[in-house]
Amino acid sequence: MISSNSLTVRAVDGFSSEITVPGDKSISHRAAIIAGLANGPCRISNYLPSEDCLNTLRAMESLGVECDYIEANDHGPTEIIIDGTSMSLSSPPTAIDCGNSGTGMRLLAGILAGQNFESTLTGDSSLCSRPMGRIIKPLEDMGGHVRSAGEREGHAPLIFQGRSLEPIRYVMPVASAQVKSAVLLAGLFAKGTTTVEQPATTRDHTERMLTEFGIGVRREGNEISIEGGQTPEARDLDIPGDISSAAFWLVAAAAKKNSHLTVRGVGLNPTRTAVLQVLLRMGARINQSVTHTGGGEPAGDLAVYASELQGTEISGGEIPNLIDEIPIIAVAGALAQGTTSIRDAAELRVKESDRIRTVVENLQAMGANVTEHEDGMTINGGANLHGASLDCFGDHRIAMAFSIAGLFAEGDTFIRNTECIATSYPGFEQDFSRVCGIKVQ
Ligand code: S3P
């Protein structure tokens, strides 16, 4: 039984299904921002109408970008003409609310630091407790003036005074695509060459999209440089499905006996597909076919067939490329035979929830054998899972990961406060019913 803000899940038999997941969240944020800076109208198709991405779209509108909503589904606009401002944003009438979105806030910070007007970025209580010092530091190094007005130093709300920026060479202490993107976007508004060096490869959607919009972006290994003063040339974009959303179904089908699932039109950018490498190492049977490349992003189909999963080790440079999939990979680890070790993943503690704590707590509540570490967890798989009454701590990925876990548990799994799912995957509950055959009530 599913209602608007809770989910009750119980075990199902194997299933055979096909699914198209909604548009990629990371790419949708960037499309709203970069198209809004472009030199003319851009038609964006398959935009993700999730709360996070709608907040970024509203943010751009409040900065003077005109948006024409061409098509919508039950959750919001999916096809939009964004009329670029040729890099000329205007002062927002009120504080910009980024809701729950770290990506929205950090990327918007990159463009607001270099404007000639004052602006404020705020968000919900989860977002206002997440670290923003990581973007304040490089933006201030560029000459920006960013005041953190949160309860603690380095937390939102963030108030931007509006300054002209100088280029920098910034060596990032954490492997974060959001920080890299904030600096590169700020670099567009600075005079000269801004360079970012990342400690490990992170998702490269910003670099790809800027290149697609005709911006010169130089990449040498983990160093990315951009020349300020360029204006993105208007382009149309078709956003692929989000592999982070597909990951829930991939794990469900890989672990559930007698199941088969095809995911169509999903983004297959190699900086996002580490989840596939991990599942393959665990013994999953997955066929991947790249069918097209659009907007600089490869996309295609994934076919997954049930198999016996085995534990694996995940650490080091692989972590940033599957950071959002770790909650569902941890569920896969609990369903696998043997040990799954997840290390070097301390960044999980500063996501929408402390995802090390929340995953461990919920897995333990379901009877899994898990040990928490400061930077990850060790899961001794194969224990019989049982239903439980779980919280999702306001975290969409925790809500979805444990909905999938419930498919493998004895008895009912009840998940409270699942409305947060709409931040990244509106329609998850309906897809859940369709794929797994549980009736929505
Ligand atoms: C994202 C980067 C990652 C990821 C987030 C989306 C992006 O965050 O967890 O969901 O779109 O750039 P970090 O940059 O903090 O690693």
Side-chain angles (χ1 to χ4, degrees):
M1 183 185 58
I2 299 170
S3 70
S4 63
N5 60 3
S6 66
L7 261 156
T8 305
V9 181
R10 63 175 55 145
V12 294
D13 292 334
F15 55 86
S16 226
S17 194
E18 188 173 307
I19 190 168
T20 307
V21 291
D24 187 276
K25 178 160 82 71
S26 292
I27 301 176
S28 294
H29 282 296
R30 286 155 174 84
I33 293 172
I34 295 172
L37 298 174
N39 64 357
C42 309
R43 180 185 283 255
I44 310 296
S45 313
N46 203 31
Y47 192 84
L48 173 65
S50 74
E51 290 304 323
D52 275 12
C53 297
L54 294 178
N55 278 324
T56 296
L57 208 51
R58 285 182 208 118
M60 294 308 288
E61 287 182 302
S62 78
L63 291 165
V65 176
E66 282 189 19
C67 296
D68 207 356
Y69 297 89
I70 306 294
E71 258 182 47
N73 65 18
D74 291 350
H75 312 289
T78 53
E79 186 152 344
I80 309 153
I81 296 183
I82 299 180
D83 200 4
T85 56
S86 288
M87 299 285 282
S88 273
L89 301 175
S90 51
S91 170
T94 53
I96 293 173
D97 187 355
C98 301
N100 191 242
S101 178
T103 309
M105 182 171 281
R106 294 189 178 118
L107 269 57
L108 287 165
I111 63 168
L112 291 178
Q115 303 304 319
N116 58 6
F117 50 77
E118 199 180 296
S119 56
T120 299
L121 290 178
T122 189
D124 67 11
S125 61
S126 155
L127 184 53
C128 289
S129 67
R130 294 179 64 187
M132 291 299 148
R134 55 181 61 192
I135 48 148
I136 296 175
K137 164 86 174 73
L139 295 176
E140 292 210 320
D141 287 354
M142 296 177 84
H145 187 285
V146 191
R147 189 165 68 80
S148 140
E151 277 174 15
R152 283 192 291 139
E153 191 49 37
H155 288 80
L158 303 178
I159 301 167
F160 300 80
Q161 288 281 292
R163 289 278 197 276
S164 51
L165 300 183
E166 298 299 323
I168 46 164
R169 184 173 193 292
Y170 187 62
V171 180
M172 286 166 35
V174 280
S176 160
Q178 294 174 357
V179 175
K180 171 180 67 177
S181 304
V183 177
L184 291 175
L185 290 170
L188 263 188
F189 291 91
K191 286 193 190 73
T193 310
T194 294
T195 301
V196 190
E197 188 185 322
Q198 48 183 355
T201 305
T202 61
R203 65 191 69 194
D204 64 358
H205 304 301
T206 302
E207 299 90 303
R208 284 174 184 259
M209 196 178 293
L210 286 170
T211 305
E212 182 68 15
F213 278 72
I215 298 287
V217 177
R218 215 173 41 252
R219 299 212 231 178
E220 284 166 55
N222 270 331
E223 246 185 57
I224 304 109
S225 302
I226 191 166
E227 203 68 37
Q230 305 179 75
T231 300
E233 288 165 23
R235 289 278 181 280
D236 295 343
L237 287 181
D238 189 9
I239 298 175
D242 196 325
I243 193 166
S244 300
S245 300
F248 299 106
W249 312 121
L250 296 177
V251 168
K256 177 62 75 184
K257 263 201 185 109
N258 301 322
S259 293
H260 164 238
L261 179 82
T262 303
V263 188
R264 300 261 180 227
V266 66
L268 294 172
N269 177 321
T271 61
R272 295 285 299 284
T273 50
V275 60
L276 302 180
Q277 311 318 320
V278 167
L279 288 174
L280 288 168
R281 277 207 310 272
M282 294 180 83
R285 293 187 296 143
I286 304 176
N287 293 337
Q288 174 182 341
S289 59
V290 176
T291 54
H292 59 283
T293 306
E297 295 279 351
D301 300 338
L302 293 170
V304 55
Y305 304 85
S307 52
E308 280 279 315
L309 297 182
Q310 304 296 325
T312 189
E313 285 182 19
I314 310 165
S315 63
E318 198 167 42
I319 294 290
N321 294 327
L322 47 65
I323 190 78
D324 294 340
E325 290 73 76
I326 290 179
I328 189 62
I329 288 174
V331 169
L335 300 172
Q337 296 302 318
T339 303
T340 295
S341 149
I342 301 170
R343 302 307 296 256
D344 304 325
E347 272 294 299
L348 288 174
R349 295 211 181 264
V350 290
K351 294 295 179 188
E352 286 83 331
S353 69
D354 171 348
R355 286 185 179 158
I356 296 179
R357 184 85 286 283
T358 52
V359 166
V360 168
E361 191 171 319
N362 279 354
L363 278 179
Q364 285 174 340
M366 296 184 79
N369 183 347
V370 201
T371 311
E372 178 174 348
H373 309 296
E374 200 37 50
D375 66 345
M377 64 194 81
T378 303
I379 306 153
N380 291 310
N384 287 331
L385 298 186
H386 55 73
S389 175
L390 305 174
D391 203 339
C392 54
F393 308 94
D395 186 332
H396 52 126
R397 298 207 195 277
I398 299 298
M400 291 185 276
F402 284 90
S403 308
I404 299 299
L407 292 172
F408 297 85
E410 201 185 315
D412 285 357
T413 300
F414 179 71
I415 306 160
R416 293 185 292 281
N417 304 324
T418 51
E419 59 277 352
C420 56
I421 288 173
T423 63
S424 73
Y425 195 159
F428 172 79
E429 293 90 338
Q430 287 82 345
D431 283 352
F432 193 96
S433 305
R434 213 170 47 72
V435 171
C436 307
I438 297 182
K439 216 164 153 221
V440 182
Q441 292 182 343

